[in-house]
């Protein structure tokens, strides 16, 4: 079913999905997030074998992106009241399973919204079962199970095991079923999302854990969800997971469960990063090129207020250069450069490893005014942007049918201070 070709990242770039980087920067300003819709559509197509593709919108939740996902038949996750409202605003409806509220807790607002819009719920704690059951007797729920082990590309993204706060501990299923019975709640599905960076060996353990858990719950199970965590390569050293094998492991699990229960069990997948990461680019402008001792710095007008992953996780993003005069960056001399932002914080460096160690990157030499593009920035990019240093958040543009379309205005100073008051 799938694109399993390792990526080639070039450090020189002229266009994004056929649109000139210089023109995009001139029309919309910088820093600018640009999403290529076609890439999202391809990633959706890669997953067609699953019964449902449920987008974890936290990866990139702009309304236009959600709307286009919906038009492609993708359903959606909501992890907060805000995400429920976003899904509704993008045209998803309640009453079925188009939106699933999946979280470890209900706050008052999210529980009210779940009830008001009759949304499906995936419970990440036993308390949620009773809290929902008391307000909606006879409810169906799915349970997020923590199988007792996890996997993630960093401690902060590992979502299984004892250290993780996520899900219902695998040995408490029986207790949860009794709780569910008390409130007339039926457990109709199970879910496991154990972290980003899935490898196949590990996956077979997850599938076994899912099978054991589902057999323990029994015949009320109608769906299982493989969760998210499908990797995308951020460097040439990384690659995609073999999706055929990934699917086949889950499909075998599903088939065994279908046989055991005597009815078809549906298989869902719940990707965030996989659908949106590669579609996104952050275009920034080089504002200073300076030497500090042996280090050459390219300082951009975008910082960790725009893209936090390098600072938060030491995440590696491919970086490319587009000269302001439209010439070919590949013709420029190659240099070893540190790429950083404008924030008053020495950690504001895009080329760093986990632990904050500053790295150099081989890039075409830059001049002030050139553009630097942080690539694979479509997941956990804009959504983690902040107003730190009173920076306004970037604009977002989506490229669709060869047209760049503005999908979020650049913030203004008025947006920044909205709600602030100076008392007499
Ligand atoms: C974040 C999250 C996902 C998506 O994770 P990715 O690594 O982006 O695929 C899926 N399901 C749940 C419950 C999540 O919290």
């Amino acid at each position: 079913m799938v694109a399993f070709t390792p990526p080639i990242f070039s450090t020189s770039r002229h266009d994004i999905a056929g649109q000139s980087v210089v023109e995009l920067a001139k029309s919309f300003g910088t820093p600018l997030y640009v999403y290529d819709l076609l890439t999202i559509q391809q990633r959706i197509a890669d997953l067609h074998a699953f019964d449902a593709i449920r987008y974890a919108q936290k990866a990139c939740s702009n309304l236009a992106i959600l709307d286009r996902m919906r038009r492609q038949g993708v359903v959606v996750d909501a992890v907060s009241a805000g995400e429920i409202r976003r899904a509704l605003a993008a045209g998803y409806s309640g009453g079925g399973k188009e939106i699933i509220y999946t979280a470890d807790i209900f706050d008052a607002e999210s529980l009210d919204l779940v009830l008001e819009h009759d949304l499906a719920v995936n419970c990440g704690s036993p308390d949620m079962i009773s809290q929902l059951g008391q307000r909606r007797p006879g409810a169906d729920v799915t349970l997020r199970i923590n199988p007792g082990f996890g996997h993630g590309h960093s401690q902060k993204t590992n979502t299984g095991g004892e250290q993780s706060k996520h899900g219902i501990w695998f040995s408490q299923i029986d207790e949860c079923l009794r709780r569910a019975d008390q409130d007339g709640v039926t457990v109709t599905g199970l879910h496991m999302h154990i972290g980003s960076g899935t490898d196949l060996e590990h996956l077979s353990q997850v599938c076994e854990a899912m099978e054991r858990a589902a057999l323990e719950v029994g015949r009320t199970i109608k769906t299982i969800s493989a969760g998210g965590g499908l990797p995308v390569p951020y460097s040439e050293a990384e690659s995609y997971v073999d999706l055929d094998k990934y699917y086949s492991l889950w499909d075998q699990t599903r088939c065994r469960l279908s046989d055991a229960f005597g009815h078809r069990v549906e298989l869902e997948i719940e990707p965030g990063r996989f659908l949106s990461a590669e579609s996104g680019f952050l275009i920034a402008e080089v504002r200073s090129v300076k030497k500090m001792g042996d280090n050459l710095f390219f300082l951009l007008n975008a910082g960790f207020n725009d893209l936090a992953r390098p600072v938060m996780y030491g995440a590696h993003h491919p970086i490319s250069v587009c000269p302001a005069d439209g010439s070919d960056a590949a013709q420029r001399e190659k240099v070893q450069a540190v790429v950083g932002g404008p924030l008053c914080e020495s950690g504001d460096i895009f080329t760093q490893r986990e632990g904050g160690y500053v790295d150099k990157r081989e890039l075409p030499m830059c001049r002030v005014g050139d553009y630097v593009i942080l690539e694979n920035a479509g997941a956990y990019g804009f959504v983690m942007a902040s107003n730190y240093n009173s920076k306004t958040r970037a604009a977002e543009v989506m490229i669709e049918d060869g047209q760049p379309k503005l999908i979020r205005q650049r913030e203004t100073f008025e947006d920044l201070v909205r709600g602030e008051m100076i008392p007499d």
Side-chain angles (χ1 to χ4, degrees):
M1 84 188 168
V2 155
F4 185 50
T5 29
I8 299 162
F9 296 110
S10 167
T11 55
S12 47
R13 174 175 285 279
H14 171 260
D15 71 287
I16 295 170
Q19 306 295 308
S20 143
V21 169
V22 175
E23 288 307 316
L24 285 166
K26 283 190 179 148
S27 309
F28 300 102
T30 59
L32 179 69
Y33 269 94
V34 178
Y35 307 101
D36 170 18
L37 202 64
L38 203 58
T39 304
I40 294 179
Q41 287 165 350
Q42 282 162 354
R43 296 286 86 91
I44 293 171
D46 288 342
L47 301 177
H48 74 272
F50 290 86
D51 295 315
I53 305 171
R54 184 169 301 283
Y55 177 48
Q57 64 168 293
K58 72 175 193 276
C60 180
S61 57
N62 184 290
L63 293 179
I65 300 292
L66 294 184
D67 171 78
R68 296 307 195 262
M69 294 266 185
R70 182 179 59 74
R71 295 194 203 184
Q72 296 278 311
V74 172
V75 289
V76 77
D77 251 1
V79 301
S80 65
E83 286 196 356
I84 292 173
R85 292 188 199 278
R86 276 187 181 278
L88 294 167
Y92 284 102
S93 54
K97 293 207 309 174
E98 279 190 20
I99 306 170
I100 291 188
Y101 177 75
T102 181
D104 296 307
I105 62 150
F106 279 120
D107 53 33
E109 188 187 6
S110 58
L111 182 53
D112 286 345
L113 281 169
V114 159
L115 294 163
E116 180 187 344
H117 297 281
D118 193 19
L119 303 183
V121 174
N122 183 37
C123 301
S125 61
D127 293 310
M128 284 177 73
I129 303 173
S130 327
Q131 287 160 357
L132 180 67
Q134 280 152 24
R135 302 267 306 266
R136 190 201 279 166
D140 287 348
V141 295
T142 58
L143 303 183
R144 174 175 181 170
I145 304 295
N146 179 337
F149 55 85
H151 196 51
H153 61 71
S154 89
Q155 274 305 326
K156 290 180 192 160
T157 56
N158 193 338
T159 58
E162 260 178 324
Q163 310 264 346
S164 163
K165 66 180 175 138
H166 296 297
I168 289 169
W169 193 245
F170 67 101
S171 62
Q172 289 182 357
I173 293 176
D174 191 51
E175 187 187 319
C176 286
L177 291 175
R178 273 184 271 122
R179 232 184 223 258
D181 279 346
Q182 277 166 14
D183 295 304
V185 170
T186 308
V187 176
T188 59
L190 292 185
H191 167 279
M192 274 181 197
H193 169 73
I194 47 126
S196 300
T198 310
D199 69 62
L200 290 170
E201 209 170 303
H202 181 250
L203 183 65
S204 51
Q205 283 177 280
V206 179
C207 289
E208 281 164 28
M210 173 65 90
E211 191 174 338
R212 274 195 302 277
L215 290 172
E216 189 176 347
V217 176
R219 297 192 64 247
T220 56
I221 296 289
K222 296 192 189 105
T223 61
I224 55 171
S225 170
L230 280 181
V232 302
Y234 286 90
S235 73
E236 269 142 36
E238 300 172 19
S239 68
Y240 298 98
V241 72
D242 181 334
L243 273 183
D244 285 328
K245 289 200 180 121
Y246 179 92
Y247 175 76
S248 123
L249 278 170
W250 275 113
D251 188 44
Q252 286 162 24
T253 305
R254 172 263 292 283
C255 288
R256 281 196 294 274
L257 290 172
S258 298
D259 286 347
F261 298 150
H263 60 241
R264 183 180 155 83
V265 172
E266 306 251 299
L267 176 60
E268 280 200 2
I269 187 159
E270 197 181 60
R273 179 187 320 283
F274 185 76
L275 295 184
S276 66
E278 296 160 297
S279 79
F281 300 80
L282 174 60
I283 305 178
E285 196 182 318
V286 178
R287 298 305 307 157
S288 177
V289 176
K290 63 177 180 181
K291 278 211 104 165
M292 311 286 263
D294 280 343
N295 282 339
L296 175 66
F297 281 80
F298 296 164
L299 295 189
L300 315 180
N301 65 349
F304 74 73
N305 57 306
D306 296 294
L307 178 65
R309 295 187 71 251
V311 174
M312 272 181 83
Y313 314 117
H316 179 101
H317 281 267
I319 297 177
S320 57
V321 170
C322 175
D325 59 10
S327 62
D328 183 3
Q331 305 299 321
R332 297 256 181 104
E333 175 201 358
K334 287 273 198 316
V335 293
Q336 298 289 328
V338 177
V339 181
L343 303 181
C344 292
E345 186 96 34
S346 51
D348 187 24
I349 297 291
F350 289 115
T351 47
Q352 63 177 288
R353 268 172 292 151
E354 198 162 5
Y357 300 100
V358 171
D359 273 337
K360 294 179 196 166
R361 190 78 67 89
E362 184 175 279
L363 290 171
M365 183 61 189
C366 281
R367 301 178 198 136
V368 169
D370 288 340
Y371 299 105
V372 161
I373 301 118
L374 293 143
E375 306 196 359
N376 279 13
Y380 310 106
F382 183 90
V383 289
M384 286 190 177
S386 77
N387 293 124
Y388 187 49
N389 277 206
S390 287
K391 292 283 189 179
T392 52
R393 288 183 299 167
E396 292 176 287
V397 163
M398 159 176 98
I399 298 172
E400 179 172 45
D401 304 329
Q403 297 291 324
K405 301 173 183 174
L406 185 65
I407 59 173
R408 175 194 269 269
Q409 289 175 348
R410 185 173 302 285
E411 275 182 339
T412 63
F413 175 71
E414 287 66 38
D415 295 327
L416 208 57
V417 294
R418 177 164 300 130
E420 292 185 31
M421 282 160 291
I422 305 176
D424 293 337

